[in-house]
């Protein structure tokens, strides 16, 4: 699976973003993390193969998260759906 | 190939016809229009840039921009799900744009992400079956107020033509005679 890593100096939390390459809110989320110098990984779900898509779908549903993007997962436990700045900030504090 | 300007013009014309505005954040707006253009090139129709689309028309038709959920979301939240269309209040900065909760039913999203057509959604439907048989729970609905007809599993939230509420939609029952 094509997981992209965006380097940053803030490595305090493990941040993963499920995104769509066409989605403006996803882009905003990525930019927001970058501006905060947070290291994170992301995957653009719309660019995945059928097999990887199935994997991602199972990953997301097994976490009990809705199949919506962006989905931000912090430290494998905090799940934030949508670009909710205050929630992301809170989880990264 | 559809140009970005064409996508923009189309969105502008549509917004104007409904009394909406396009997102005032120009760089955000540009990203949305780019997303629509990409989807149109990828799938053949401009599906919502902020939702996963399959490329299978039957599975994506409710999220083709302007999506089925736009009118009710603009009314309730001042913006559609992706934020392309906003109300006048949001445009003028009187109301802050917040992420709009997804209104699309979970079962439709799940089906799309399964990446396959379930038996209830055959890709090819024989022509003679189209009229006489109900396909996978699909029904014809008409708006009792203005006569608008739509072929869907459920009636729309709001009539896109006359804005009548869902309760105004009634099912159409078809019968076919074998006589010539």
């Amino acid at each position: 699976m094509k997981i992209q890593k965006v380097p940053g100096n803030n490595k305090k939390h493990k941040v993963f973003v499920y995104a769509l390459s066409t989605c403006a809110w996803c882009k905003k989320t990525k930019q927001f993390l970058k501006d905060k110098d947070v290291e994170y990984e992301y995957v653009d779900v719309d660019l995945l193969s059928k097999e990887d898509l199935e994997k991602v779908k199972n990953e997301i549903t097994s976490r009990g998260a809705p199949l919506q993007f962006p989905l931000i997962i912090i430290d494998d436990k905090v799940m934030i759906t949508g670009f909710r700045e205050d929630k992301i900030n809170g989880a990264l504090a | 190939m559809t140009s970005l300007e064409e996508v923009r013009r189309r969105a502008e014309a549509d917004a104007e016809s409904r009394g909406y505005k396009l997102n005032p954040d120009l760089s955000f707006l540009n990203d949305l229009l780019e997303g629509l253009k990409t989807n149109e090139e990828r799938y053949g129709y401009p599906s919502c840039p902020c939702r996963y689309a399959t490329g299978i028309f039957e599975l994506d038709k409710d999220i083709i921009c302007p999506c089925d959920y736009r009118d009710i979301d603009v009314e309730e939240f001042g913006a559609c799900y992706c934020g392309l269309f906003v109300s006048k209040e949001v445009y003028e900065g009187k109301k802050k744009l917040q992420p709009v909760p997804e209104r699309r039913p979970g079962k439709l999203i799940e089906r799309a992400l399964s990446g396959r057509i379930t038996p209830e959604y055959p890709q090819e439907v024989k022509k003679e079956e189209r009229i006489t048989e109900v396909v996978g729970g699909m029904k014809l609905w008409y708006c009792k107020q203005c006569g608008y007809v739509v072929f869907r599993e459920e009636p729309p939230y709001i009539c896109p033509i006359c804005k009548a509420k869902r309760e105004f939609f009634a099912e159409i029952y078809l019968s076919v005679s074998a006589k010539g």
Side-chain angles (χ1 to χ4, degrees), chain A residues 8-27:
Chain A
N9 287 317
N10 183 349
K11 299 181 173 73
K12 198 173 152 196
H13 298 276
K14 188 183 164 210
V15 181
F16 193 92
V17 182
Y18 290 100
L20 298 175
S21 70
T22 52
C23 169
W25 290 106
C26 299
K27 196 173 171 186

Side-chain angles (χ1 to χ4, degrees), chain B residues 2 7 23 28 94-95 102 106 120 134 148 164-165:
Chain B
T2 318
V7 178
N23 198 300
F28 188 76
K94 290 176 191 158
K95 191 174 167 185
E102 176 62 294
E120 50 178 340
V134 175
Y148 168 71
K165 290 203 170 127

Side-chain angles (χ1 to χ4, degrees), chain B residues 42-53:
Chain B
R42 210 187 265 171
Y43 309 121
Y45 42 80
S47 61
C48 177
C50 296
R51 288 173 168 123
Y52 179 81

Side-chain angles (χ1 to χ4, degrees), chain A residues 20-28 45-48 50 53-54 56-57 61 67-69 81-85, chain B residues 25 28 31-32 35 38-39 42-43 49-52 81-83 97-99 101-102 109-110 113-116:
Chain A
L20 298 175
S21 70
T22 52
C23 169
W25 290 106
C26 299
K27 196 173 171 186
K28 254 190 160 164
V45 175
D46 58 323
L47 304 178
L48 293 177
K50 281 253 185 296
L53 179 67
E54 189 64 26
V56 162
K57 192 193 137 211
T61 44
L67 293 162
Q68 294 162 29
F69 308 98
T81 300
F83 177 57
R84 298 182 190 272
E85 239 179 290
Chain B
D25 178 340
F28 188 76
D31 290 340
L32 289 168
T38 301
N39 282 350
R42 210 187 265 171
Y43 309 121
C50 296
R51 288 173 168 123
Y52 179 81
Y81 180 69
C82 73
L97 177 63
Q98 297 284 357
E102 176 62 294
I109 304 174
E110 162 115 37
L113 275 154
S114 295
R116 57 177 179 261

